Amino acid sequence: MHRAVTDWFDDAARDLPWRDPSCSPWGVMVSEFMLQQTPVVRVLPVWRAWMQRWPRPADLAAESTGEAVRAWGRLGYPRRALRLHAAAVEITEHHGGRVPAAHELLLALPGVGAYTAAAIAVFAFGDRQTVVDTNIRRVHARVVTGRALPSRSLTAAELRLAEELMPADDALAVRWNQAVMELGALVCTARSPRCEQCPVRDACAWVAAGRPEPVEAPRGQAWHGTDRQVRGAIMAVLRAGSAPVPAPSLTGPVDVGTGAGLAPEALRALDALHGLGAPEEQRRRALDGLLRDGLAAAGPSGVSLPG
DNA sequence: GAGCCGTGGTG
DNA sequence: TCACCAAGGCT
């Protein structure tokens, strides 16, 4: 399998800037933050602009968190921007401005969990670490375990399996991790896997079993009418303009009449927020959450991005 | 472990 | 149309 999958990878791998040998560990780290729950195609332009503007951790650390959140744009989960900023500050203050190479030190950074720490150690520093992301879990579930999809949460058995499957050689292990992840992203996809293109289809337990259906029905992510949706709409308003937005125009009735001084984009975003028809109480709760999380800041003239 | 946290593409 | 899904992390 090592040979089949890595050979396939050599031929099919996407040409991504954070995979270029010239990419700095910081570039790899930024990509890993942005790629958390976010597809590659949406990350690419934001990553390029980000690296252009803040080529080193210290460059980002010198900025306000609000600027980080604004540059994050519409990638989603804007708290990731806060965590990336906080990690940059920590790297600047405690690691001499360089992304640490040790898995343990990486894990201690804000926003860096088991996956991201392993990914940075492997892809930026060539370590032999076990990387387990959603793609790798799915490939293992199918090829080895014969199931359509992995369970909802990562199990100790999966971790053990991933360790056992990894090549002993350091350099090969790096490519293996990269290759299995890519296989899951391009061929062994969740919805409509392209088994005819798979380099290990003849060894796949799931194919051999006749591609049985998933045992667990996926749990849908509620969206319409949730606080998340309202939070997102408020964030869109704050990102759209630099001028503070009076809190009542965010949480109050539509006809509050406080549009003066706001950029046209901000007004459009404000219309979208009101268009949701969310109750005032919910909008206030959402705004409080954003303030508490540090995604928004309250000033004398209204609410804006922090900093 | 479950719930929460954004956004846009897609089958 | 609409639920599912995407290189997770934190509480």
Side-chain angles (χ1 to χ4, degrees):
Chain A
M1 285 219 296
H2 293 160
R3 182 62 186 274
V5 174
T6 53
D7 279 357
W8 169 86
F9 180 68
D10 291 340
D11 186 52
R14 290 168 292 183
D15 187 21
L16 303 173
W18 46 85
R19 284 182 182 160
D20 192 287
S22 71
C23 183
S24 66
W26 170 240
V28 173
M29 177 170 161
V30 171
S31 80
E32 291 302 339
F33 269 72
M34 292 183 172
L35 288 164
Q36 290 168 4
Q37 299 282 284
T38 306
V40 165
V41 283
R42 297 231 317 277
V43 164
L44 274 169
V46 183
W47 182 89
R48 290 199 181 93
W50 193 283
M51 293 307 294
Q52 181 85 26
R53 183 170 177 185
W54 300 307
R56 299 163 306 172
D59 301 319
L60 177 61
E63 284 275 7
S64 71
T65 57
E67 278 307 296
V69 171
R70 193 187 301 282
W72 197 257
R74 305 186 67 78
L75 278 186
Y77 291 142
R79 47 176 55 175
R80 289 182 293 165
L82 292 182
R83 292 172 182 156
L84 181 53
H85 183 277
V89 170
E90 217 169 294
I91 289 170
T92 303
E93 293 180 353
H94 301 300
H95 299 289
R98 305 174 68 87
V99 176
H103 182 270
E104 198 178 307
L105 295 178
L106 289 166
L107 201 49
L109 295 172
V112 178
Y115 162 76
T116 303
I120 296 172
V122 170
F123 303 141
F125 298 106
D127 270 20
R128 186 179 178 282
Q129 293 273 340
T130 317
V131 181
V132 184
D133 78 323
T134 186
N135 289 307
I136 291 177
R137 292 185 66 208
R138 188 173 52 250
V139 172
H140 290 172
R142 287 181 181 157
V143 176
V144 180
T145 319
R147 292 169 45 130
L149 293 174
S151 58
R152 287 204 182 94
S153 50
L154 179 64
T155 64
E158 285 182 80
L159 224 44
R160 212 159 41 236
L161 174 60
E163 287 167 9
E164 287 168 6
L165 289 175
M166 200 161 58
D169 177 72
D170 278 24
L172 186 55
V174 171
R175 277 178 63 219
W176 167 253
N177 279 315
Q178 194 95 273
V180 176
M181 200 180 302
E182 191 79 336
L183 186 64
L186 298 182
V187 173
C188 195
T189 56
R191 219 87 64 91
S192 323
R194 302 164 176 83
C195 293
E196 70 285 352
Q197 300 177 21
C198 180
V200 290
R201 59 184 176 278
D202 293 335
C204 181
W206 183 56
V207 168
R211 296 174 47 156
E213 295 294 308
V215 289
E216 277 179 307
R219 190 176 301 167
Q221 307 174 5
W223 176 246
H224 292 287
T226 63
D227 286 8
R228 283 169 84 178
Q229 186 184 29
V230 179
R231 281 171 63 110
I234 293 176
M235 286 304 297
V237 176
L238 301 184
R239 274 197 311 266
S242 47
V245 183
S249 57
L250 293 170
T251 61
V254 179
D255 55 1
V256 118
T258 46
L262 293 184
E265 310 83 55
L267 288 177
R268 266 198 299 279
L270 204 50
D271 280 344
L273 169 64
H274 290 143
L276 294 179
E280 292 193 33
E281 181 195 334
Q282 186 183 29
R283 279 182 281 157
R284 188 164 305 122
R285 186 169 64 237
L287 177 57
D288 285 345
L290 292 173
L291 292 168
R292 175 168 23 84
D293 291 347
L295 285 164
S301 52
V303 182
S304 57
L305 293 178

